Amino acid sequence: MSLTVAIDGPAAAGKGTIARAVAEHFGFAHLDTGLLYRAVGARTLEGLPAREAAETLDPADLTRDDLRTPDVAQAASKVAVIPEVRAALLDFQRAFARRAGGAVLDGRDIGTVICPDAEVKLFVTASAEVRADRRFLELTEKGMKVARQEVLADVVARDQRDMERADAPLKPADDAVVLDTTSLSINAAVEAAIARVDTALRA
Ligand code: C5P
């Protein structure tokens, strides 16, 4: 059995939480594709050209402990604009999506570019204010010193860059189900996602 669940949406919308919960519920593998771009971004902050950083990416790069910082998030969205960087990461993501046993991938272009044939496509979104509040809480809980206004500015800047780029811009696939978590709890969003996958498994 191979079933692909594509979960896209803007920064801090709850994609990761939903993707992990769906993967755990069904025993599917999960790939947070943002980590690939973050790892490339982190390497460019060390001076490596973006294309080379993407083409020589190593599994160990994905376990660096600085990938969740705001600086790396911005660097990730800057390298994500470069078509050669996206191309270098494509095969790995597609192979992951079609592995036996089912896969959940979350990112920005999974339902539109990486897996246009995914059996389930979700687009998870929320207002920028709500997303910034969630990210602020997440970062401060990890002990990072950040200002809420800066987190909001970071989220808005990344959204804009992600939506306006020419190659694989952030947008819902035509056949994606939109889950707006502005006033929907993450638990309710997880339940809705699980129900969609259940329906696809029965089809
Ligand atoms: O999801 P996350 O916030 O970790 O993603 C970091 C950045 O990586 C995003 O702002 C986006 O620019 C880029 N990205 C992308 N395509 C994906 C996943 C992430 O362009 N599939």
Side-chain angles (χ1 to χ4, degrees), residues 15 33-34 37-38 68 76-77 80 86 107-110 158 162 165:
K15 302 184 297 292
T33 65
Y37 293 89
R38 284 174 182 260
R68 296 284 174 203
S77 80
R86 307 199 70 84
R108 302 290 186 290
D109 62 340
I110 309 303
R158 279 205 290 144
D162 290 346
R165 68 181 175 224

Side-chain angles (χ1 to χ4, degrees), residues 12-22 124-126 130-131 134 179-194:
K15 302 184 297 292
T17 309
I18 296 170
R20 277 190 298 276
V22 168
V124 183
T125 188
V130 163
R131 290 186 286 118
R134 287 187 195 143
L179 288 178
D180 188 334
T181 65
T182 306
S183 42
L184 187 71
S185 74
I186 292 293
N187 278 351
V190 166
E191 277 175 28
I194 288 175

Side-chain angles (χ1 to χ4, degrees), residues 34-119:
L35 275 187
L36 302 173
Y37 293 89
R38 284 174 182 260
V40 175
R43 298 183 85 199
T44 64
L45 293 177
E46 290 164 350
L48 215 60
R51 184 177 178 168
E52 184 184 338
E55 288 172 353
T56 60
L57 202 64
D58 185 89
D61 294 320
L62 303 180
T63 56
R64 298 169 56 133
D65 57 12
D66 61 348
L67 297 183
R68 296 284 174 203
T69 62
D71 285 352
V72 169
Q74 284 295 335
S77 80
K78 288 179 186 161
V79 301
V81 170
I82 305 168
E84 290 81 3
V85 166
R86 307 199 70 84
L89 304 175
L90 191 81
D91 288 349
F92 173 73
Q93 295 176 81
R94 285 206 175 133
F96 189 97
R98 281 295 159 208
R99 64 205 276 149
V104 184
L105 288 83
D106 69 278
R108 302 290 186 290
D109 62 340
I110 309 303
T112 49
V113 174
I114 305 293
C115 307
D117 299 329
E119 285 77 5

